[in-house]
Amino acid sequence: MRRTVYEADHELFRASVREFIDRTLRPLDEDIRTERMLRREVWLEAGRQGFLGMQVPAEYGGQDAGDFRFNAVIGEELARVAAAYNSIVSIHVDVCAPYLLELATEEARKRWLPGFCTGELITAIGMTEPSGGSDLAALKTTAVRDGDSWVINGSKTFITNGGHADLVIVAAKTAPERGAKGITLFGVEAGTPGFTRGTKLDKVGQPEADTSELFFDNVRVPAAHQIGELDRGFVHMMERLPQERLSCAVANVAHARGVLEETVEYVKQRTAFGQPIGGFQHNKFLVAELITKLDVAQAFTDQCLAAHVGGELNTVDASKAKWWTSDAQNQIIDGCVQLFGGYGYMREYRVARAWMDARVTRIWAGSNEIMKEIIGRSAGL
Ligand SMILES: Cc1cc2nc3c(=O)[nH]c(=O)nc-3n(C[C@H](O)[C@H](O)[C@H](O)COP(=O)(O)OP(=O)(O)OC[C@H]3O[C@@H](n4cnc5c(N)ncnc54)[C@H](O)[C@@H]3O)c2cc1C
């Protein structure tokens, strides 16, 4: 189905993102999987190309594009190659950027945003803790005011880019007795005494991404590094989750599309009983179902993208897009694994890796159950 959400400028931009991926990322593919993180040289090249600061005003070194579709193009192209490439970059450009742009103090913006755009300052966001991620209001990390700074104690887990981030946005309780109404966000810089990280976590998929535990032991943060209003951190996070969930949806669909396209080619070439396996009616119908599922998911996601560009995407629709596309992606890639037969179960095949990579998308960014909770609540239940 022809997509109408993008214009000529976005397609031109897409060509430059593809060129960057082919030149900079693909040759390092295996190394990145082994090292379990994106090398700084890739970040810096992405920065030189202007990809990291699309939403950042020119005065801080960004491209000032003011149109989330450019971010969506980057996400689509990265996810087509490997889901984790999108996860790594989108945490920085789609998830962390709005906090820094909209909520950080001017002093902090001047300090962080130029490096954010060049790739010299990589960001991560720490909401989830060992004791829980879905129930954000119950987080246990604390921040206590002491003179002109805050002292943070606690820990975070499953943090994407956590092991090598130069700046982590940390959610902490500033008024523990007030639950969701007592959370504040802070920017914690690498190298701050008391801020340490665990080893990279051993995930079943997305090995390219560095996912780590973070520890805060009397970490002293200047008051100017408070992000947003005191005790309003929960609201700030909720207000920014629709963009994060849209970004997930965009990547879910693009990732599934990349794998499905490869699979369609494969079933045309692979033969059994003297004919291409794609010619068997069962397989033809399976491919037809997968293509349809993908196009339906794409249409809703594009509609959400257009709504977001128009400033109209709400939490409920973003939640629908997030859960639906992560489920659809898992179903589509599982179908592709079946069509690849035994090869579909071999790690050296992209389809097998994609199958493992996709699973987490039903868990993170607000699990699919939490998405349904939000949607159900909007129906008055
Ligand atoms: C690879 C990876 C990267 C991640 N990156 C980040 C990151 O960068 N920053 C960050 O802060 N977090 C990150 N996360 C954490 C992620 O957002 C959480 O794992 C997720 O929110 C779920 O929290 P939990 O793991 O504590 O599960 P729990 O909250 O313990 O939930 C366990 C199960 O119970 C279900 N459940 C919980 N509450 C309800 C309910 N009310 N109704 C129905 N079911 C419910 C959940 O859906 C889930 O199935 C990442 C996780 C992974 C795996």
Side-chain angles (χ1 to χ4, degrees):
M1 179 178 269
R2 194 172 72 84
R3 298 175 68 192
T4 53
V5 71
Y6 292 117
E7 294 163 21
D9 280 358
H10 304 110
E11 296 309 335
L12 269 177
F13 180 69
R14 188 187 300 281
S16 65
V17 177
R18 280 194 181 167
E19 192 275 330
F20 158 79
I21 289 172
D22 290 341
R23 181 172 41 85
T24 313
L25 209 46
R26 284 192 200 272
L28 292 175
D29 227 16
E30 277 194 42
D31 293 334
I32 295 169
R33 276 202 292 280
T34 311
E35 293 163 14
R36 295 197 283 157
M37 62 178 281
L38 212 54
R39 288 184 191 170
R40 184 69 68 156
E41 69 199 64
V42 179
W43 283 104
L44 294 176
E45 182 55 21
R48 275 191 287 275
Q49 298 293 318
F51 299 153
L52 302 179
M54 295 307 289
Q55 306 305 314
V56 179
E59 59 180 304
Y60 303 111
Q63 308 303 307
D64 220 349
D67 175 347
F68 188 74
R69 286 174 294 182
F70 289 104
N71 280 27
V73 166
I74 296 171
E76 284 181 1
E77 293 306 315
L78 290 171
R80 280 175 72 89
V81 183
Y85 290 152
N86 168 71
S87 313
I88 296 164
V89 174
S90 78
I91 281 286
H92 187 68
V93 301
D94 299 340
V95 179
C96 291
Y99 291 94
L100 305 184
L101 285 171
E102 297 158 18
L103 300 172
T105 61
E106 181 58 14
E107 179 187 330
R109 276 202 289 260
K110 283 189 178 135
R111 183 176 170 87
W112 294 329
L113 287 173
F116 180 97
C117 297
T118 59
E120 288 160 299
L121 182 130
I122 297 165
T123 56
I125 184 158
M127 303 182 195
T128 307
E129 303 194 348
S131 56
S134 302
D135 185 5
L136 265 186
L139 63 86
K140 293 186 166 65
T141 297
T142 56
V144 175
R145 184 81 186 212
D146 182 26
D148 204 22
S149 49
W150 290 90
V151 178
I152 301 180
N153 279 288
S155 64
K156 300 287 172 182
T157 194
F158 306 144
I159 306 307
T160 304
N161 297 344
H164 70 298
D166 304 290
L167 175 73
V168 184
I169 299 168
V170 176
K173 282 266 169 73
T174 34
E177 69 292 350
R178 295 182 59 207
K181 292 183 176 159
I183 295 173
T184 306
L185 304 174
F186 298 94
V188 178
E189 296 178 350
T192 309
F195 171 33
T196 54
R197 318 159 199 243
T199 50
K200 288 176 204 155
L201 296 168
D202 187 15
K203 309 189 294 295
V204 297
Q206 305 215 4
E208 300 87 349
D210 141 31
T211 310
S212 300
E213 288 175 298
L214 309 178
F215 304 102
F216 306 92
D217 181 10
N218 286 321
V219 175
R220 193 168 280 274
V221 173
H225 293 186
Q226 178 183 317
I227 296 176
E229 289 179 49
L230 182 66
D231 295 335
R232 295 256 307 160
F234 189 81
V235 175
H236 292 325
M237 289 188 281
M238 292 305 120
E239 284 170 352
R240 278 149 196 83
L241 282 171
Q243 177 162 307
E244 176 174 354
R245 288 168 184 161
L246 170 64
S247 153
C248 289
V250 165
N252 291 339
V253 176
H255 184 229
R257 185 176 298 285
V259 177
L260 185 53
E261 282 174 3
E262 277 181 29
T263 305
V264 170
E265 287 312 304
Y266 182 80
V267 299
K268 286 180 187 164
Q269 310 299 330
R270 177 78 176 172
T271 56
F273 301 96
Q275 68 170 91
I277 58 166
F280 297 118
Q281 191 187 52
H282 172 85
N283 294 341
K284 198 186 296 175
F285 279 19
L286 175 58
V287 168
E289 287 171 18
L290 302 182
I291 291 173
T292 309
K293 201 178 284 274
L294 185 68
D295 280 355
V296 171
Q298 184 80 76
F300 187 72
T301 304
D302 284 355
Q303 191 74 25
C304 288
L305 180 53
H308 189 49
V309 171
E312 289 172 0
L313 181 66
N314 62 44
T315 303
V316 176
D317 286 342
S319 302
K320 292 175 195 164
K322 192 273 170 184
W323 90 257
W324 181 268
T325 59
S326 13
D327 257 21
Q329 176 197 209
N330 274 267
Q331 290 162 15
I332 290 165
I333 297 176
D334 192 71
C336 294
V337 167
Q338 193 68 18
L339 288 165
F340 266 82
Y343 294 105
Y345 201 61
M346 298 298 124
R347 270 181 212 271
E348 66 173 302
Y349 276 72
R350 192 265 170 111
V351 66
R353 296 198 301 274
W355 184 62
M356 295 185 285
D357 293 347
R359 185 61 182 84
V360 73
T361 64
R362 288 160 56 195
I363 297 171
W364 68 16
S367 67
N368 281 10
E369 292 73 29
I370 295 297
M371 297 303 94
K372 291 174 191 175
E373 182 63 36
I374 292 169
I375 299 160
R377 227 181 287 149
S378 77
L381 302 173

